[in-house]
Amino acid sequence: MNRKAIGLSFSIVTSSFLGATLLMSDATSFGKSPVDYVNPLIGTDAHGHVYPGATVPFGMVQLSPDTRDTGWDGSSGYHYSDNSILGFTHNHLTGTGCPDLGNILLMPTVGALKVVPGDKPGEGYRTAFSHDNETARPGYYEVYLPDYQVKVELTATARAGFHRYTFPATDAAHVVIDLQHGIGNKTIESQLTIEDDHTASGYRRSDGWGGQKTYYFVMKFSRPFDSAGVGQVDKDVPGKTTTGSETKGHFDFKTKAGEQIMVRVGLSTVSVEGAKNNLRAEIPDWDFDDVAEAAHKQWDKALSVFSVETPDKNLEQTFYTSLYHTMVAPTLLSDRDGSFRGPDDKVHQAKRFDYYTEISIWDIFRAEAPLLTLTQPARVNDVVDTMLAHYDIFDHKALPVWPEGGKETWCMIGNHSIPMIVDAYFKGFRDWDANKALEDMIVTTDQNREQMDDYRDKGFIPTGDHKQSVSKVLEYAYDDACIARFAKALGKDDVAQKYLKRSGNWQDVFDPSTGFMRGKTADGSWVTPFDQNAINSINFNEYTEANAWQYNFFVLQDVPGLIAKLGGDDKFTARLDEMFDTKETIPNLSMIPDVTGVIGMYAHGNEPVHHVAYLYNYAGQPWKTQARVRQVANTLYTNTPAGICGNDDCGQMSAWYVFTAMGFYPVDPASGIYVLGSPLLDKITLRLDPKYYKGKTFTVIAKHNSPENPYIQAATLNGKPITRSWISQAEIAAGGRLVLTMGPTPNKDFGSATTDRPPGM
């Protein structure tokens, strides 16, 4: 496919992956569903950090192969460049920059029994595999293990996994369980108990990212095993139960050619009994195909919230796979009965909502959370309830920062639970105590932020080792703006004024002499020397995983104020142009692996810049946004294994693409305002959930759309011409049709008037 406009290119991929892609595209051209366009292998190469295995939307269980268990590019346990598999574990992180989970490893083997993995095939139970014999689709994963002549099939429900192994004829078939294995974590204690001739149970307690976590399990085999054993390290121990830090086990069978051994596995953070209840409720029998089909249908329903039209099947596959990635996290933590193990490591009960974890808040508050209000509205109140319950349970009295495995990781800066809750409130999701939520926000911001005294009293945070001072000021200021909005809506004007004033603290780190946000010493002097191109300065002093360029535009709540600080519309857009077009390079780019997807000083592979390409609209030059967003989308996203240019971060990278493909983006995510870009799709229809929205559908039509026609010439909303470069949540919720006429050259009048620009706070 040849795409000339805006520098579009597709990377060369392996013939096997491309062949699978083309077959999928051909199949779906004959009336298949959106689910059939998804390829979970997209993003498993390079630094996407996603996994290809079986899960259902937002499920607790992610049953997927582990090809490695250490390293940054092993955060999900799988990397497309690997050629061997360790085994199949029941939970995984998606797109994160830290590794964890990888609990309860099962591995089917044939021949001499080995219960340690080994460093390469032949040394332990680890086995070779090929992508030529690998299939991944939503809710289902399959791979052939040539060393053992075993076909592995995996599927899942929300809280249980289902394995189907097809063995050759042998007297030495085994299913190995390794409770020492984990991804980037250490086993503290694990237990394995053989309950009867087809059932085993236990737990694994590990210490990793976020601290110690315990996962309980029960596993049932489709027929009695002929023998079994439990052990520590690589030796069996007497009896039917063992507890230790290197717990292993094996279940042995004599099989006929083509015989299938199935294993159903229930998971819980509460207890073995909780795992049994989850398994009993979700996979009560042995119909693997029925469970796989149910998972397929769940994904089909979730993904069918959108219908799209485009002649480009590669684009359609990229779009639906991106949408898929926005629906694998956050993940359920609560059992079927509502019980869950909270951040205090105690068991609690969610009585009227599902409790979630794996909420990558610093990432997803930007686009994924606003997207879920449109695509998954039934989950929004539950996520808010989760955040408020976290505050009540946790002895730190803080809203969550980055909960993982039910625990608080304290990962990243700010407290962006606040904009997520505020966004939900203003969009009508209010099945929780708003006044209590405001109190939680105030305590969180005033008592549980790093360097809060300096931020409050001085308006800035003095630079020092690892303080990330400039980034914290900018992000704290945005959270304060959201508190001000929320307090105003609740009639608390005094509170609103306090936080509105404090949301202007970003101005205290803006240096008018350079036009950059900069660090200050304790006496208020600018830190020198200053290099706007270098990442983090030294020791994370000023910026978080970024340089001065990448944080210079993080004033989401007051873009007009930032434009004024930078000297007005023309100087502001010139600075944006320079960010993308500069020939200078980042001198220490290798310092932070997260900084990827680089265009000039723009680094799309990390989140602080995700809104930047849309800022031209605020300066009356939306035609530049239209060109830029296509440049980013078409050069940094493809339907290949390396098709995500950086960590997907629980779906945020993918959410940016979904919004951009639709033609708009939430620059200020708690405002309910979407800034227009340039739709990638000719037509896209969002089906609105009637339980939450009065409108039936909202459709965006891009007339004359093509790679050569990226510029909006004119627009109508429900048949009436509009010249503004933004739309609102209320307009989407009411249903209707946005029609954008596209062309090859900019219409510089569209959206240029001051009254047509997106509003600031």
Side-chain angles (χ1 to χ4, degrees):
M1 184 180 64
N2 179 26
R3 288 198 167 222
K4 300 177 182 178
I6 323 300
L8 177 59
S9 64
F10 288 101
S11 60
I12 298 174
V13 296
T14 63
S15 59
S16 62
F17 187 91
L18 184 56
T21 297
L22 293 175
L23 284 172
M24 183 177 291
S25 295
D26 288 343
T28 52
S29 66
F30 292 99
K32 293 293 183 71
S33 297
V35 67
D36 299 309
Y37 284 90
V38 175
N39 190 336
L41 287 166
I42 293 172
T44 57
D45 204 355
H47 305 310
H49 294 188
V50 301
Y51 61 83
T55 190
V56 296
F58 309 95
M60 176 191 293
V61 166
Q62 307 87 35
L63 183 50
S64 189
D66 291 358
T67 64
R68 59 177 74 176
D69 55 10
T70 59
W72 184 67
D73 274 331
S75 293
S76 74
Y78 181 99
H79 200 269
Y80 193 82
S81 65
D82 294 334
N83 57 17
S84 66
I85 287 176
L86 285 158
F88 307 92
T89 61
H90 289 78
N91 53 12
H92 294 81
L93 296 173
T94 178
T96 60
C98 292
D100 200 23
L101 304 182
N103 287 287
I104 324 302
L105 180 145
L106 298 185
M107 183 62 159
T109 70
V110 170
L113 176 65
K114 299 175 182 179
V115 294
V116 295
D119 293 326
K120 59 184 179 180
E123 293 184 351
Y125 59 69
R126 182 194 293 267
T127 176
F129 83 107
S130 168
H131 298 302
D132 292 333
N133 295 308
E134 180 182 43
T135 299
R137 59 178 182 262
Y140 176 84
Y141 177 85
E142 175 187 323
V143 68
Y144 180 71
L145 308 181
D147 295 348
Y148 302 128
Q149 301 178 51
V150 173
K151 183 173 78 169
V152 174
E153 297 172 275
L154 310 173
T155 190
T157 62
R159 301 171 180 85
F162 205 166
H163 306 239
R164 181 164 68 184
Y165 308 138
T166 304
F167 282 96
T170 179
D171 290 338
H174 316 283
V175 176
V176 173
I177 181 169
D178 188 344
L179 299 180
Q180 183 180 359
H181 171 88
I183 300 171
N185 57 60
K186 179 182 179 181
T187 305
I188 301 301
E189 182 180 271
S190 55
Q191 184 180 94
L192 176 62
T193 299
I194 299 174
E195 296 190 359
D196 54 40
D197 64 1
H198 61 277
T199 307
S201 62
Y203 62 83
R204 178 175 185 262
R205 181 172 300 120
S206 64
D207 191 5
W209 187 36
Q212 293 192 15
K213 292 175 280 291
T214 304
Y215 284 89
Y216 298 86
F217 69 92
V218 64
M219 49 191 293
K220 289 185 173 291
F221 288 85
S222 55
R223 76 161 171 88
F225 30 82
D226 297 313
S227 61
V230 299
Q232 291 293 324
V233 192
D234 60 352
K235 299 288 191 299
D236 280 5
V237 299
K240 295 184 177 181
T241 188
T242 183
T243 303
S245 62
E246 299 177 84
T247 302
K248 312 290 175 65
H250 56 93
F251 309 91
D252 313 313
F253 301 88
K254 297 177 181 179
T255 57
K256 300 176 182 178
E259 183 175 351
Q260 293 180 335
I261 303 294
M262 292 180 283
V263 192
R264 296 180 288 133
V265 181
L267 213 62
S268 170
T269 63
V270 175
S271 63
V272 168
E273 190 59 35
K276 290 180 177 180
N277 290 338
N278 290 340
L279 182 62
R280 188 181 303 116
E282 295 187 359
I283 312 182
D285 55 37
W286 293 103
D287 194 333
F288 180 94
D289 292 330
D290 186 62
V291 173
E293 178 61 22
H296 182 90
K297 288 180 178 178
Q298 285 188 58
W299 278 114
D300 189 40
K301 180 180 179 181
L303 297 166
S304 293
V305 69
F306 285 115
S307 61
V308 306
E309 293 181 14
T310 175
D312 185 344
K313 298 304 176 185
N314 293 313
L315 172 60
E316 194 161 6
Q317 191 177 42
T318 303
F319 173 81
Y320 276 117
T321 303
S322 295
L323 182 61
Y324 166 82
H325 283 141
T326 70
M327 297 181 181
V328 294
T331 61
L332 282 170
L333 190 73
S334 51
D335 287 350
R336 293 280 296 197
D337 64 1
S339 58
F340 65 93
R341 192 171 297 275
D344 58 352
D345 206 37
K346 297 177 182 178
V347 175
H348 301 272
Q349 190 77 22
K351 296 183 179 179
R352 60 180 185 84
F353 65 96
D354 288 326
Y355 190 95
Y356 286 86
T357 189
E358 270 68 89
I359 313 177
S360 185
I361 296 171
W362 184 81
D363 303 291
I364 71 169
F365 89 93
R366 305 164 197 270
E368 183 177 343
L371 181 65
L372 294 180
T373 67
L374 298 171
T375 61
Q376 290 285 318
R379 300 183 193 271
V380 174
N381 279 313
D382 285 6
V383 171
V384 174
D385 274 321
T386 294
M387 293 175 171
L388 300 179
H390 178 109
Y391 178 95
D392 291 334
I393 292 167
F394 203 27
D395 56 8
H396 290 272
K397 292 301 178 185
L399 290 166
V401 175
W402 209 125
E404 184 263 329
K407 300 300 180 66
E408 179 59 83
T409 68
W410 299 110
C411 187
M412 308 311 294
I413 60 172
N415 196 297
H416 302 315
S417 294
I418 293 168
M420 286 180 63
I421 295 170
V422 173
D423 181 47
Y425 179 85
F426 282 120
K427 290 176 179 175
F429 300 96
R430 302 179 180 182
D431 290 350
W432 34 273
D433 187 335
N435 287 295
K436 173 64 165 53
L438 178 61
E439 292 173 8
D440 294 353
M441 293 175 189
I442 291 170
V443 173
T444 297
T445 56
D446 286 357
Q447 298 182 23
N448 287 289
R449 277 179 170 173
E450 298 171 313
Q451 295 90 46
M452 176 47 60
D453 289 346
D454 285 328
Y455 172 80
R456 180 181 58 242
D457 299 337
K458 296 181 178 180
F460 67 93
I461 297 170
T463 293
D465 284 357
H466 300 282
K467 284 191 175 179
Q468 307 166 73
S469 59
V470 176
S471 296
K472 286 179 180 175
V473 169
L474 296 173
E475 298 201 20
Y476 292 172
Y478 182 65
D479 292 341
D480 285 344
C482 292
I483 293 175
R485 288 171 168 154
F486 194 35
K488 181 71 173 176
L490 297 179
K492 301 180 185 296
D493 290 351
D494 54 338
V495 176
Q497 285 302 313
K498 172 185 174 181
Y499 288 94
L500 178 62
K501 180 180 179 181
R502 210 165 75 179
S503 73
N505 280 1
W506 65 270
Q507 298 173 73
D508 290 328
V509 293
F510 179 82
D511 174 16
S513 69
T514 63
F516 282 98
M517 306 290 180
R518 291 183 56 185
K520 286 182 173 181
T521 62
D523 65 3
S525 302
W526 298 114
V527 172
T528 57
F530 173 63
D531 182 353
Q532 65 266 26
N533 297 347
I535 295 171
N536 294 325
S537 294
I538 301 172
N539 294 330
F540 293 83
N541 283 350
E542 295 162 271
Y543 309 105
T544 303
E545 297 181 358
N547 63 12
W549 279 102
Q550 291 149 20
Y551 259 100
N552 214 45
F553 302 98
F554 194 89
V555 188
L556 311 181
Q557 71 276 20
D558 190 12
V559 180
L562 178 62
I563 292 172
K565 286 286 187 182
L566 283 167
D569 295 343
D570 291 340
K571 289 184 178 180
F572 179 77
T573 56
R575 178 58 64 91
L576 288 173
D577 287 342
E578 185 182 0
M579 182 182 193
F580 285 97
D581 295 336
T582 181
K583 301 304 180 185
E584 295 183 11
T585 59
I586 299 172
N588 56 345
L589 183 60
S590 62
M591 178 180 176
I592 297 292
D594 301 76
V595 183
T596 56
V598 175
I599 302 173
M601 289 294 153
Y602 179 89
H604 191 74
N606 210 20
E607 279 70 18
V609 299
H610 274 194
H611 64 291
V612 170
Y614 286 88
L615 294 181
Y616 292 99
N617 289 40
Y618 290 82
Q621 297 185 30
W623 61 273
K624 287 190 174 182
T625 281
Q626 294 152 28
R628 292 296 184 198
V629 297
R630 291 233 185 172
Q631 178 186 12
V632 174
N634 292 336
T635 58
L636 300 179
Y637 292 83
T638 64
N639 62 332
T640 69
I644 304 175
C645 71
N647 303 166
D648 196 42
D649 285 314
C650 293
Q652 168 57 28
M653 287 283 291
S654 293
W656 185 95
Y657 188 85
V658 171
F659 268 125
T660 295
M662 294 170 67
F664 49 84
Y665 186 82
V667 167
D668 177 356
S671 69
I673 296 296
Y674 299 96
V675 178
L676 295 184
S678 178
L680 306 178
L681 299 158
D682 296 355
K683 181 179 179 180
I684 181 167
T685 296
L686 167 65
R687 296 179 178 88
L688 295 163
D689 189 331
K691 294 181 181 178
Y692 300 90
Y693 296 113
K694 294 181 179 179
K696 294 181 178 180
T697 61
F698 186 80
T699 299
V700 180
I701 297 172
K703 289 185 175 180
H704 314 305
N705 188 40
S706 73
E708 295 75 25
N709 289 349
Y711 298 107
I712 297 174
Q713 308 298 300
T716 63
L717 182 62
N718 298 327
K720 297 180 180 180
I722 62 170
T723 55
R724 55 185 160 92
S725 62
W726 58 276
I727 57 174
S728 70
Q729 173 81 8
E731 289 168 331
I732 294 173
R737 176 174 293 200
L738 175 67
V739 179
L740 304 174
T741 302
M742 312 303 292
T745 57
N747 175 1
K748 296 183 180 181
D749 291 329
F750 179 80
S752 64
T754 303
T755 54
D756 286 334
R757 302 176 189 184
M761 184 174 171

